[in-house]
Amino acid sequence: MPRFDNEGLDPRQRINNDTRDRSVPEDENYYSSGSFNAGTGRSNFRPVEPPRRPPVNQGGGFNPTVRDDYMRKQRQREAFTPQNEAQPRTYAQTYQSSVRDDYMRAHGMREAERASRQQAARKKKRARKKAIAAVISLVLIIALIATPLGMINAVLGKINYDEKKPNTYVSAAELKSDPQVKNILLLGVDARPKQETEQSHPDTMLLITVDKRHKCIKMTSFLRDTWVYLASRDKEQRLNTANQGVGYCGIVHSIEYLFKIDIDGYVVTDFKMFRKMVNSIGGVTITVTKAEAKEINNHPGRYGNVKIKAGTHRLNGKQALAYARIRKIDTDFKRTERQRTVIKSILSEVKSSPLKLYKLANSAAPFLETDLSKGELKKIARYVIPCLGGGMPQERVPFEGTWEYANVGGASVIKINVEKNTELLQDYIYNKTAEELKEEETTK
């Protein structure tokens, strides 16, 4: 029984909703135009119908007409609704997307920072290798050529010799030279597999000038990122790539072509022999400051797990290498000063002891590669001995105020004024005394 009968309601008093007039007067019909039907209360638009299954053929069997009609309508629906049309997202989807974007943005920033730190660390590591290679190269060549002539033949027999190739890019008459001056280009490389010996680009290019006229040994570093014309490759490129395809003589020939100085030959070495060299003479005496000892002891991974104490101590090869690599606590000037300290300490150990000098040269010789002949090395030995006590001034190419940074193909390089550097380099090598250079250094 209906509920209203139980409650005493009269069914005849009910309003018949189906017969009530719900039309809107014309003067109040604000929706008579557009997409809304005022009479029915419905929109004229129809939602896109979802794909339908093909109708079943009631008669059984395959009906191609039904199939074709279905496929035609389906193509019409797909053409009406783009497949990549963006669908409205819910609040939850929007929030999740925002959180994900924030995370990826922060993660990306952290990755960029990590990559930047790793790149900086690699650059610093290469710089340390470059500096150490320069120290080792200098020590090796001095030890070799300063060995007493009575012992030198045995040492010379262990060196790896390359055939000397003439410079066809510039004539000897165009090069500045002095019979009392010998120039040797030291090249320090990170690794030299035998099958790729002359393809490894050097990290260090250090010109050692044995200046018998002024009784001193001068050192000139050539920056590897210097962007110049390379005669050996007939193109502009970084200076340290001049050996590519032609061997290390290509670097010698390009420097001669650029700066018009006569270079007697090159010596190539690897800094990995440093510890063995120092150990071969029983170590070196070095005064270590508290800051230097703290830097080494607090960074075992950076300095090869070395422990060292402040004060004046006898350092073995591993400790001496760590000391020469310090670069975090002060300036580059102090770093190179520590390297010079190691050099002077080694020389002071060997110059008064022919036996130690022989041991040092003998241990180093198998790891040297040069295009200098045995006769040329003996001649240089006679030049270097009287120059050992005359100081070791240092300079670099490019000189101050003669260069600028540039971007070539997305890479940062150094472009230089070749003419100005040629003038300054020739004056430094052939005219300046050690006293004049020392005075200039103090006034900088």
Side-chain angles (χ1 to χ4, degrees), residues 125-198:
K125 185 176 181 180
R126 287 196 298 267
R128 287 196 297 270
K129 289 181 178 180
K130 178 179 178 180
I132 299 303
V135 174
I136 296 171
S137 298
L138 178 60
V139 172
L140 289 177
I141 192 65
I142 291 177
L144 175 64
I145 61 183
T147 301
L149 297 181
M151 302 178 180
I152 199 171
N153 287 329
V155 175
L156 294 177
K158 297 181 179 181
I159 296 175
N160 301 290
Y161 293 96
D162 296 335
E163 179 184 357
K164 180 166 289 189
K165 300 177 182 178
N167 192 341
T168 59
Y169 311 108
V170 60
S171 65
E174 298 178 76
L175 302 178
K176 176 77 173 177
S177 63
D178 185 332
Q180 298 295 310
V181 175
K182 295 295 180 183
N183 290 316
I184 307 163
L185 185 63
L186 303 182
L187 303 174
V189 297
D190 194 11
R192 293 188 296 126
K194 291 183 178 179
Q195 68 275 17
E196 299 178 0
T197 296
E198 296 192 341

Side-chain angles (χ1 to χ4, degrees), residues 335-353:
R335 176 176 57 86
T336 57
E337 182 179 326
R338 279 188 287 269
Q339 295 167 8
R340 292 194 301 270
T341 299
V342 174
I343 294 173
K344 291 178 181 179
S345 181
I346 293 175
L347 293 178
S348 66
E349 290 287 337
V350 300
K351 68 182 181 181
S352 59
S353 174

Side-chain angles (χ1 to χ4, degrees), residues 108-126:
M109 292 174 64
R110 287 195 296 270
E111 287 297 321
E113 292 173 359
R114 185 181 297 111
S116 178
R117 288 194 298 268
Q118 290 174 346
Q119 183 178 9
R122 286 193 294 269
K123 289 183 178 180
K124 291 178 181 179
K125 185 176 181 180
R126 287 196 298 267

Side-chain angles (χ1 to χ4, degrees), residues 186-234:
L186 303 182
L187 303 174
V189 297
D190 194 11
R192 293 188 296 126
K194 291 183 178 179
Q195 68 275 17
E196 299 178 0
T197 296
E198 296 192 341
Q199 298 306 317
S200 299
H201 298 157
D203 291 323
T204 301
M205 296 175 289
L206 183 65
L207 186 68
I208 301 298
T209 299
V210 183
D211 187 357
K212 187 179 178 181
R213 185 176 299 281
H214 299 110
K215 302 288 191 298
C216 64
I217 298 175
K218 300 170 182 176
M219 295 178 281
T220 307
S221 297
F222 291 86
L223 301 190
R224 54 174 290 169
D225 289 333
T226 304
W227 189 269
V228 289
Y229 172 77
L230 303 179
S232 61
R233 300 181 61 186
D234 193 24

Side-chain angles (χ1 to χ4, degrees), residues 22 31 52 62 76 81 85 94-95 111 148 176-177 195 198 223 237 267 287 334 351 355 363 407 436 444:
R22 294 181 178 274
Y31 305 99
R52 302 174 182 174
F62 176 72
Q76 290 176 351
T81 307
E85 182 178 0
T94 303
Y95 175 76
E111 287 297 321
K176 176 77 173 177
S177 63
Q195 68 275 17
E198 296 192 341
L223 301 190
Q237 189 51 264
V267 175
T287 299
K334 290 294 294 182
K351 68 182 181 181
L355 181 59
S363 65
N407 187 289
E436 291 173 337
K444 285 184 180 180

